[in-house]
Amino acid sequence: MKRSLLAFGTAVLMMTLSGCARKTASATSPGPTAFGVAIVESSGGKQLGATGATLSQPVVVQVNDEQGNAVTGASVQMSGPLGVGFDPATGLTDSSGQFTTNVTLGSMAGRYQIMASTFTKAHKKVDFKLDEIALGYQQQVGYQLNDKYCSRCHDPESTPERVSNYDNLEVKPHPFSEGDALNKISDLDLTAIISHGGTAINKSPIMPPYGYTLSKQEIQALIAYIRLVSDPPYQASGMVYAQK
């Protein structure tokens, strides 16, 4: 789910210049030469991208046989909610048993559940579902604020751009994707923590206040980002989920 601020900004710019064009497979795919019994994710799930943009990394799935061995020449079909594009949408697994597609997100912010499908020799359909996350303007602002102020402590993993401070802290901050903990905290309490620090609601004093650094609109944007990347997904009255 992690991308550098520069890469994310470039993706947004390219989306604008390209007019959010979507590509789909135009030719009929050849028939399968082999069949598997399972389809699994190899890479590309739970990525972040701007609404209407193509994800920075392709989605790669693999078809396996009964022994868990990769199957070459098995058919794969991609599907998703209205507005999601795949390039290609169908095809056969390669010599490593994998199928690769570029995914373009829809125009609405939210979590998109896409599905990869294959068929067994008995013509039984086998599916695998994975989520991708589309950031609207407010969530994009929150993403940038997270990258600038928060991820150094709230992201346990270091990146080439930034070394994580997570392991140096006595009280470990919750990663923003940790829905089991953060989903239980109200927007009002999150606002208090961000504005006045952890002690505002009897949390760790290690969390500093940002009320003099961030505007009210920026704090709301950061909360919108936290809610969208939550895993499990944050459920709130009136909140729209793109995959439904």
PDB file of all heavy atoms in Angstrom, residues 18-57:
ATOM      1  N   SER A  18      -3.939  12.352 -19.324  1.00  0.00           N
ATOM      2  CA  SER A  18      -4.435  11.296 -20.207  1.00  0.00           C
ATOM      3  C   SER A  18      -5.947  11.275 -20.313  1.00  0.00           C
ATOM      4  O   SER A  18      -6.502  10.500 -21.068  1.00  0.00           O
ATOM      5  CB  SER A  18      -3.960   9.934 -19.698  1.00  0.00           C
ATOM      6  OG  SER A  18      -4.534   9.665 -18.444  1.00  0.00           O
ATOM      7  N   GLY A  19      -6.623  12.119 -19.519  1.00  0.00           N
ATOM      8  CA  GLY A  19      -8.076  12.138 -19.562  1.00  0.00           C
ATOM      9  C   GLY A  19      -8.694  10.914 -18.974  1.00  0.00           C
ATOM     10  O   GLY A  19      -9.815  10.551 -19.298  1.00  0.00           O
ATOM     11  N   CYS A  20      -7.941  10.226 -18.095  1.00  0.00           N
ATOM     12  CA  CYS A  20      -8.456   9.050 -17.387  1.00  0.00           C
ATOM     13  C   CYS A  20      -8.881   7.944 -18.351  1.00  0.00           C
ATOM     14  O   CYS A  20      -9.895   7.281 -18.148  1.00  0.00           O
ATOM     15  CB  CYS A  20      -9.623   9.424 -16.467  1.00  0.00           C
ATOM     16  SG  CYS A  20      -9.211  10.727 -15.319  1.00  0.00           S
ATOM     17  N   ALA A  21      -8.150   7.777 -19.442  1.00  0.00           N
ATOM     18  CA  ALA A  21      -8.510   6.759 -20.429  1.00  0.00           C
ATOM     19  C   ALA A  21      -8.389   5.377 -19.841  1.00  0.00           C
ATOM     20  O   ALA A  21      -7.486   5.100 -19.073  1.00  0.00           O
ATOM     21  CB  ALA A  21      -7.604   6.889 -21.652  1.00  0.00           C
ATOM     22  N   ARG A  22      -9.299   4.508 -20.199  1.00  0.00           N
ATOM     23  CA  ARG A  22      -9.273   3.124 -19.743  1.00  0.00           C
ATOM     24  C   ARG A  22      -8.995   2.217 -20.925  1.00  0.00           C
ATOM     25  O   ARG A  22      -9.503   2.422 -22.028  1.00  0.00           O
ATOM     26  CB  ARG A  22     -10.605   2.721 -19.099  1.00  0.00           C
ATOM     27  CG  ARG A  22     -10.774   3.302 -17.720  1.00  0.00           C
ATOM     28  CD  ARG A  22     -12.151   2.931 -17.170  1.00  0.00           C
ATOM     29  NE  ARG A  22     -12.266   3.327 -15.801  1.00  0.00           N
ATOM     30  CZ  ARG A  22     -12.458   4.570 -15.391  1.00  0.00           C
ATOM     31  NH1 ARG A  22     -12.528   5.538 -16.267  1.00  0.00           N
ATOM     32  NH2 ARG A  22     -12.570   4.867 -14.100  1.00  0.00           N
ATOM     33  N   LYS A  23      -8.185   1.190 -20.673  1.00  0.00           N
ATOM     34  CA  LYS A  23      -7.872   0.219 -21.708  1.00  0.00           C
ATOM     35  C   LYS A  23      -8.472  -1.129 -21.326  1.00  0.00           C
ATOM     36  O   LYS A  23      -8.408  -1.526 -20.185  1.00  0.00           O
ATOM     37  CB  LYS A  23      -6.362   0.065 -21.875  1.00  0.00           C
ATOM     38  CG  LYS A  23      -5.658   1.336 -22.316  1.00  0.00           C
ATOM     39  CD  LYS A  23      -4.167   1.086 -22.441  1.00  0.00           C
ATOM     40  CE  LYS A  23      -3.424   2.342 -22.858  1.00  0.00           C
ATOM     41  NZ  LYS A  23      -1.964   2.097 -22.953  1.00  0.00           N
ATOM     42  N   THR A  24      -9.027  -1.781 -22.293  1.00  0.00           N
ATOM     43  CA  THR A  24      -9.544  -3.122 -22.063  1.00  0.00           C
ATOM     44  C   THR A  24      -9.108  -4.006 -23.223  1.00  0.00           C
ATOM     45  O   THR A  24      -8.763  -3.533 -24.309  1.00  0.00           O
ATOM     46  CB  THR A  24     -11.084  -3.123 -21.962  1.00  0.00           C
ATOM     47  OG1 THR A  24     -11.623  -2.504 -23.134  1.00  0.00           O
ATOM     48  CG2 THR A  24     -11.555  -2.344 -20.747  1.00  0.00           C
ATOM     49  N   ALA A  25      -9.116  -5.298 -22.991  1.00  0.00           N
ATOM     50  CA  ALA A  25      -8.706  -6.216 -24.043  1.00  0.00           C
ATOM     51  C   ALA A  25      -9.689  -6.143 -25.198  1.00  0.00           C
ATOM     52  O   ALA A  25     -10.901  -6.182 -25.007  1.00  0.00           O
ATOM     53  CB  ALA A  25      -8.626  -7.630 -23.492  1.00  0.00           C
ATOM     54  N   SER A  26      -9.155  -6.007 -26.430  1.00  0.00           N
ATOM     55  CA  SER A  26     -10.025  -5.872 -27.590  1.00  0.00           C
ATOM     56  C   SER A  26     -10.088  -7.156 -28.417  1.00  0.00           C
ATOM     57  O   SER A  26     -11.022  -7.387 -29.152  1.00  0.00           O
ATOM     58  CB  SER A  26      -9.552  -4.719 -28.479  1.00  0.00           C
ATOM     59  OG  SER A  26      -8.205  -4.904 -28.864  1.00  0.00           O
ATOM     60  N   ALA A  27      -9.073  -7.971 -28.300  1.00  0.00           N
ATOM     61  CA  ALA A  27      -9.041  -9.203 -29.083  1.00  0.00           C
ATOM     62  C   ALA A  27      -9.565 -10.377 -28.263  1.00  0.00           C
ATOM     63  O   ALA A  27      -9.476 -10.391 -27.051  1.00  0.00           O
ATOM     64  CB  ALA A  27      -7.611  -9.485 -29.539  1.00  0.00           C
ATOM     65  N   THR A  28     -10.093 -11.369 -28.966  1.00  0.00           N
ATOM     66  CA  THR A  28     -10.582 -12.559 -28.301  1.00  0.00           C
ATOM     67  C   THR A  28      -9.406 -13.395 -27.822  1.00  0.00           C
ATOM     68  O   THR A  28      -8.479 -13.683 -28.598  1.00  0.00           O
ATOM     69  CB  THR A  28     -11.450 -13.382 -29.262  1.00  0.00           C
ATOM     70  OG1 THR A  28     -12.530 -12.574 -29.719  1.00  0.00           O
ATOM     71  CG2 THR A  28     -11.989 -14.613 -28.561  1.00  0.00           C
ATOM     72  N   SER A  29      -9.420 -13.794 -26.566  1.00  0.00           N
ATOM     73  CA  SER A  29      -8.321 -14.567 -26.014  1.00  0.00           C
ATOM     74  C   SER A  29      -8.397 -16.007 -26.501  1.00  0.00           C
ATOM     75  O   SER A  29      -9.484 -16.553 -26.708  1.00  0.00           O
ATOM     76  CB  SER A  29      -8.374 -14.543 -24.487  1.00  0.00           C
ATOM     77  OG  SER A  29      -8.254 -13.220 -24.016  1.00  0.00           O
ATOM     78  N   PRO A  30      -7.235 -16.665 -26.699  1.00  0.00           N
ATOM     79  CA  PRO A  30      -7.246 -18.081 -27.103  1.00  0.00           C
ATOM     80  C   PRO A  30      -7.790 -18.953 -25.981  1.00  0.00           C
ATOM     81  O   PRO A  30      -7.798 -18.562 -24.809  1.00  0.00           O
ATOM     82  CB  PRO A  30      -5.764 -18.369 -27.368  1.00  0.00           C
ATOM     83  CG  PRO A  30      -5.023 -17.371 -26.539  1.00  0.00           C
ATOM     84  CD  PRO A  30      -5.879 -16.135 -26.543  1.00  0.00           C
ATOM     85  N   GLY A  31      -8.238 -20.140 -26.325  1.00  0.00           N
ATOM     86  CA  GLY A  31      -8.776 -21.048 -25.325  1.00  0.00           C
ATOM     87  C   GLY A  31      -7.692 -21.625 -24.445  1.00  0.00           C
ATOM     88  O   GLY A  31      -6.511 -21.670 -24.822  1.00  0.00           O
ATOM     89  N   PRO A  32      -8.062 -22.075 -23.243  1.00  0.00           N
ATOM     90  CA  PRO A  32      -7.075 -22.631 -22.310  1.00  0.00           C
ATOM     91  C   PRO A  32      -6.501 -23.949 -22.803  1.00  0.00           C
ATOM     92  O   PRO A  32      -7.168 -24.707 -23.506  1.00  0.00           O
ATOM     93  CB  PRO A  32      -7.884 -22.826 -21.026  1.00  0.00           C
ATOM     94  CG  PRO A  32      -9.299 -22.988 -21.493  1.00  0.00           C
ATOM     95  CD  PRO A  32      -9.428 -22.098 -22.689  1.00  0.00           C
ATOM     96  N   THR A  33      -5.258 -24.191 -22.437  1.00  0.00           N
ATOM     97  CA  THR A  33      -4.604 -25.464 -22.767  1.00  0.00           C
ATOM     98  C   THR A  33      -4.413 -26.316 -21.522  1.00  0.00           C
ATOM     99  O   THR A  33      -3.939 -27.451 -21.612  1.00  0.00           O
ATOM    100  CB  THR A  33      -3.242 -25.206 -23.414  1.00  0.00           C
ATOM    101  OG1 THR A  33      -2.426 -24.433 -22.518  1.00  0.00           O
ATOM    102  CG2 THR A  33      -3.403 -24.435 -24.721  1.00  0.00           C
ATOM    103  N   ALA A  34      -4.745 -25.750 -20.353  1.00  0.00           N
ATOM    104  CA  ALA A  34      -4.623 -26.479 -19.082  1.00  0.00           C
ATOM    105  C   ALA A  34      -5.616 -25.882 -18.094  1.00  0.00           C
ATOM    106  O   ALA A  34      -6.185 -24.814 -18.331  1.00  0.00           O
ATOM    107  CB  ALA A  34      -3.199 -26.385 -18.540  1.00  0.00           C
ATOM    108  N   PHE A  35      -5.800 -26.600 -16.986  1.00  0.00           N
ATOM    109  CA  PHE A  35      -6.783 -26.171 -15.993  1.00  0.00           C
ATOM    110  C   PHE A  35      -6.199 -26.336 -14.598  1.00  0.00           C
ATOM    111  O   PHE A  35      -5.423 -27.259 -14.329  1.00  0.00           O
ATOM    112  CB  PHE A  35      -8.069 -26.986 -16.114  1.00  0.00           C
ATOM    113  CG  PHE A  35      -8.712 -26.894 -17.462  1.00  0.00           C
ATOM    114  CD1 PHE A  35      -8.371 -27.779 -18.471  1.00  0.00           C
ATOM    115  CD2 PHE A  35      -9.647 -25.910 -17.721  1.00  0.00           C
ATOM    116  CE1 PHE A  35      -8.959 -27.699 -19.727  1.00  0.00           C
ATOM    117  CE2 PHE A  35     -10.246 -25.810 -18.976  1.00  0.00           C
ATOM    118  CZ  PHE A  35      -9.893 -26.707 -19.980  1.00  0.00           C
ATOM    119  N   GLY A  36      -6.585 -25.453 -13.703  1.00  0.00           N
ATOM    120  CA  GLY A  36      -6.176 -25.547 -12.317  1.00  0.00           C
ATOM    121  C   GLY A  36      -7.382 -25.725 -11.424  1.00  0.00           C
ATOM    122  O   GLY A  36      -8.517 -25.880 -11.899  1.00  0.00           O
ATOM    123  N   VAL A  37      -7.138 -25.686 -10.121  1.00  0.00           N
ATOM    124  CA  VAL A  37      -8.228 -25.824  -9.161  1.00  0.00           C
ATOM    125  C   VAL A  37      -8.287 -24.646  -8.191  1.00  0.00           C
ATOM    126  O   VAL A  37      -9.209 -24.542  -7.386  1.00  0.00           O
ATOM    127  CB  VAL A  37      -8.099 -27.134  -8.353  1.00  0.00           C
ATOM    128  CG1 VAL A  37      -8.173 -28.335  -9.265  1.00  0.00           C
ATOM    129  CG2 VAL A  37      -6.817 -27.151  -7.535  1.00  0.00           C
ATOM    130  N   ALA A  38      -7.302 -23.753  -8.271  1.00  0.00           N
ATOM    131  CA  ALA A  38      -7.263 -22.616  -7.353  1.00  0.00           C
ATOM    132  C   ALA A  38      -6.596 -21.434  -8.043  1.00  0.00           C
ATOM    133  O   ALA A  38      -5.767 -21.605  -8.942  1.00  0.00           O
ATOM    134  CB  ALA A  38      -6.498 -22.971  -6.075  1.00  0.00           C
ATOM    135  N   ILE A  39      -6.980 -20.227  -7.628  1.00  0.00           N
ATOM    136  CA  ILE A  39      -6.347 -19.005  -8.117  1.00  0.00           C
ATOM    137  C   ILE A  39      -6.018 -18.142  -6.905  1.00  0.00           C
ATOM    138  O   ILE A  39      -6.845 -17.980  -6.004  1.00  0.00           O
ATOM    139  CB  ILE A  39      -7.249 -18.266  -9.135  1.00  0.00           C
ATOM    140  CG1 ILE A  39      -6.513 -17.061  -9.737  1.00  0.00           C
ATOM    141  CG2 ILE A  39      -8.589 -17.869  -8.536  1.00  0.00           C
ATOM    142  CD1 ILE A  39      -7.221 -16.502 -10.968  1.00  0.00           C
ATOM    143  N   VAL A  40      -4.793 -17.617  -6.847  1.00  0.00           N
ATOM    144  CA  VAL A  40      -4.317 -16.873  -5.686  1.00  0.00           C
ATOM    145  C   VAL A  40      -3.632 -15.586  -6.143  1.00  0.00           C
ATOM    146  O   VAL A  40      -3.222 -15.456  -7.303  1.00  0.00           O
ATOM    147  CB  VAL A  40      -3.329 -17.712  -4.847  1.00  0.00           C
ATOM    148  CG1 VAL A  40      -4.006 -18.962  -4.295  1.00  0.00           C
ATOM    149  CG2 VAL A  40      -2.106 -18.089  -5.672  1.00  0.00           C
ATOM    150  N   GLU A  41      -3.499 -14.660  -5.216  1.00  0.00           N
ATOM    151  CA  GLU A  41      -2.792 -13.410  -5.514  1.00  0.00           C
ATOM    152  C   GLU A  41      -1.290 -13.624  -5.413  1.00  0.00           C
ATOM    153  O   GLU A  41      -0.788 -14.220  -4.466  1.00  0.00           O
ATOM    154  CB  GLU A  41      -3.211 -12.321  -4.532  1.00  0.00           C
ATOM    155  CG  GLU A  41      -2.454 -11.010  -4.729  1.00  0.00           C
ATOM    156  CD  GLU A  41      -2.678 -10.021  -3.601  1.00  0.00           C
ATOM    157  OE1 GLU A  41      -3.589 -10.251  -2.763  1.00  0.00           O
ATOM    158  OE2 GLU A  41      -1.936  -9.024  -3.530  1.00  0.00           O
ATOM    159  N   SER A  42      -0.579 -13.121  -6.398  1.00  0.00           N
ATOM    160  CA  SER A  42       0.877 -13.084  -6.334  1.00  0.00           C
ATOM    161  C   SER A  42       1.352 -11.715  -5.859  1.00  0.00           C
ATOM    162  O   SER A  42       2.227 -11.612  -5.010  1.00  0.00           O
ATOM    163  CB  SER A  42       1.484 -13.394  -7.706  1.00  0.00           C
ATOM    164  OG  SER A  42       2.894 -13.330  -7.645  1.00  0.00           O
ATOM    165  N   SER A  43       0.741 -10.651  -6.385  1.00  0.00           N
ATOM    166  CA  SER A  43       1.072  -9.291  -5.950  1.00  0.00           C
ATOM    167  C   SER A  43       0.034  -8.327  -6.491  1.00  0.00           C
ATOM    168  O   SER A  43      -0.741  -8.660  -7.389  1.00  0.00           O
ATOM    169  CB  SER A  43       2.474  -8.884  -6.443  1.00  0.00           C
ATOM    170  OG  SER A  43       2.518  -8.861  -7.858  1.00  0.00           O
ATOM    171  N   GLY A  44       0.022  -7.116  -5.917  1.00  0.00           N
ATOM    172  CA  GLY A  44      -0.815  -6.042  -6.458  1.00  0.00           C
ATOM    173  C   GLY A  44      -2.070  -5.710  -5.684  1.00  0.00           C
ATOM    174  O   GLY A  44      -2.787  -4.774  -6.046  1.00  0.00           O
ATOM    175  N   GLY A  45      -2.369  -6.445  -4.600  1.00  0.00           N
ATOM    176  CA  GLY A  45      -3.559  -6.150  -3.814  1.00  0.00           C
ATOM    177  C   GLY A  45      -3.344  -4.998  -2.845  1.00  0.00           C
ATOM    178  O   GLY A  45      -2.218  -4.664  -2.481  1.00  0.00           O
ATOM    179  N   LYS A  46      -4.433  -4.351  -2.453  1.00  0.00           N
ATOM    180  CA  LYS A  46      -4.443  -3.272  -1.455  1.00  0.00           C
ATOM    181  C   LYS A  46      -3.515  -2.120  -1.821  1.00  0.00           C
ATOM    182  O   LYS A  46      -2.793  -1.579  -0.988  1.00  0.00           O
ATOM    183  CB  LYS A  46      -4.106  -3.823  -0.070  1.00  0.00           C
ATOM    184  CG  LYS A  46      -5.152  -4.789   0.462  1.00  0.00           C
ATOM    185  CD  LYS A  46      -4.853  -5.249   1.864  1.00  0.00           C
ATOM    186  CE  LYS A  46      -5.946  -6.192   2.363  1.00  0.00           C
ATOM    187  NZ  LYS A  46      -5.662  -6.706   3.729  1.00  0.00           N
ATOM    188  N   GLN A  47      -3.557  -1.750  -3.090  1.00  0.00           N
ATOM    189  CA  GLN A  47      -2.807  -0.574  -3.519  1.00  0.00           C
ATOM    190  C   GLN A  47      -3.638   0.686  -3.344  1.00  0.00           C
ATOM    191  O   GLN A  47      -4.868   0.644  -3.302  1.00  0.00           O
ATOM    192  CB  GLN A  47      -2.413  -0.699  -4.983  1.00  0.00           C
ATOM    193  CG  GLN A  47      -1.391  -1.769  -5.278  1.00  0.00           C
ATOM    194  CD  GLN A  47      -0.944  -1.716  -6.719  1.00  0.00           C
ATOM    195  OE1 GLN A  47      -0.252  -0.793  -7.147  1.00  0.00           O
ATOM    196  NE2 GLN A  47      -1.333  -2.714  -7.490  1.00  0.00           N
ATOM    197  N   LEU A  48      -2.948   1.826  -3.263  1.00  0.00           N
ATOM    198  CA  LEU A  48      -3.590   3.132  -3.244  1.00  0.00           C
ATOM    199  C   LEU A  48      -3.395   3.789  -4.602  1.00  0.00           C
ATOM    200  O   LEU A  48      -2.320   3.718  -5.189  1.00  0.00           O
ATOM    201  CB  LEU A  48      -2.967   4.032  -2.181  1.00  0.00           C
ATOM    202  CG  LEU A  48      -3.096   3.617  -0.718  1.00  0.00           C
ATOM    203  CD1 LEU A  48      -2.378   4.630   0.157  1.00  0.00           C
ATOM    204  CD2 LEU A  48      -4.546   3.495  -0.309  1.00  0.00           C
ATOM    205  N   GLY A  49      -4.445   4.456  -5.079  1.00  0.00           N
ATOM    206  CA  GLY A  49      -4.339   5.205  -6.322  1.00  0.00           C
ATOM    207  C   GLY A  49      -5.377   6.304  -6.346  1.00  0.00           C
ATOM    208  O   GLY A  49      -6.370   6.260  -5.622  1.00  0.00           O
ATOM    209  N   ALA A  50      -5.145   7.309  -7.174  1.00  0.00           N
ATOM    210  CA  ALA A  50      -6.131   8.376  -7.338  1.00  0.00           C
ATOM    211  C   ALA A  50      -7.341   7.837  -8.086  1.00  0.00           C
ATOM    212  O   ALA A  50      -7.234   6.910  -8.893  1.00  0.00           O
ATOM    213  CB  ALA A  50      -5.512   9.548  -8.093  1.00  0.00           C
ATOM    214  N   THR A  51      -8.508   8.405  -7.831  1.00  0.00           N
ATOM    215  CA  THR A  51      -9.702   8.008  -8.571  1.00  0.00           C
ATOM    216  C   THR A  51      -9.451   8.194 -10.063  1.00  0.00           C
ATOM    217  O   THR A  51      -8.898   9.199 -10.503  1.00  0.00           O
ATOM    218  CB  THR A  51     -10.911   8.848  -8.144  1.00  0.00           C
ATOM    219  OG1 THR A  51     -10.579  10.241  -8.244  1.00  0.00           O
ATOM    220  CG2 THR A  51     -11.332   8.554  -6.714  1.00  0.00           C
ATOM    221  N   GLY A  52      -9.862   7.206 -10.847  1.00  0.00           N
ATOM    222  CA  GLY A  52      -9.701   7.279 -12.290  1.00  0.00           C
ATOM    223  C   GLY A  52      -8.315   6.963 -12.801  1.00  0.00           C
ATOM    224  O   GLY A  52      -8.088   6.980 -14.012  1.00  0.00           O
ATOM    225  N   ALA A  53      -7.372   6.666 -11.921  1.00  0.00           N
ATOM    226  CA  ALA A  53      -5.985   6.430 -12.334  1.00  0.00           C
ATOM    227  C   ALA A  53      -5.681   4.939 -12.410  1.00  0.00           C
ATOM    228  O   ALA A  53      -6.321   4.116 -11.762  1.00  0.00           O
ATOM    229  CB  ALA A  53      -5.022   7.101 -11.353  1.00  0.00           C
ATOM    230  N   THR A  54      -4.675   4.598 -13.206  1.00  0.00           N
ATOM    231  CA  THR A  54      -4.184   3.230 -13.271  1.00  0.00           C
ATOM    232  C   THR A  54      -3.222   3.006 -12.106  1.00  0.00           C
ATOM    233  O   THR A  54      -2.347   3.841 -11.855  1.00  0.00           O
ATOM    234  CB  THR A  54      -3.458   2.973 -14.599  1.00  0.00           C
ATOM    235  OG1 THR A  54      -4.374   3.189 -15.678  1.00  0.00           O
ATOM    236  CG2 THR A  54      -2.936   1.544 -14.664  1.00  0.00           C
ATOM    237  N   LEU A  55      -3.380   1.905 -11.403  1.00  0.00           N
ATOM    238  CA  LEU A  55      -2.524   1.605 -10.264  1.00  0.00           C
ATOM    239  C   LEU A  55      -1.063   1.508 -10.689  1.00  0.00           C
ATOM    240  O   LEU A  55      -0.755   1.054 -11.796  1.00  0.00           O
ATOM    241  CB  LEU A  55      -2.969   0.304  -9.600  1.00  0.00           C
ATOM    242  CG  LEU A  55      -4.346   0.340  -8.931  1.00  0.00           C
ATOM    243  CD1 LEU A  55      -4.751  -1.065  -8.485  1.00  0.00           C
ATOM    244  CD2 LEU A  55      -4.343   1.291  -7.738  1.00  0.00           C
ATOM    245  N   SER A  56      -0.166   1.917  -9.815  1.00  0.00           N
ATOM    246  CA  SER A  56       1.262   1.963 -10.164  1.00  0.00           C
ATOM    247  C   SER A  56       1.847   0.584 -10.394  1.00  0.00           C
ATOM    248  O   SER A  56       2.781   0.417 -11.177  1.00  0.00           O
ATOM    249  CB  SER A  56       2.047   2.679  -9.060  1.00  0.00           C
ATOM    250  OG  SER A  56       1.960   1.961  -7.838  1.00  0.00           O
ATOM    251  N   GLN A  57       1.308  -0.429  -9.709  1.00  0.00           N
ATOM    252  CA  GLN A  57       1.800  -1.793  -9.873  1.00  0.00           C
ATOM    253  C   GLN A  57       0.694  -2.654 -10.485  1.00  0.00           C
ATOM    254  O   GLN A  57      -0.477  -2.519 -10.132  1.00  0.00           O
ATOM    255  CB  GLN A  57       2.208  -2.392  -8.523  1.00  0.00           C
ATOM    256  CG  GLN A  57       3.279  -1.609  -7.791  1.00  0.00           C
ATOM    257  CD  GLN A  57       4.612  -1.643  -8.527  1.00  0.00           C
ATOM    258  OE1 GLN A  57       4.958  -2.640  -9.165  1.00  0.00           O
ATOM    259  NE2 GLN A  57       5.369  -0.559  -8.432  1.00  0.00           N
TER     260      GLN A  57
END
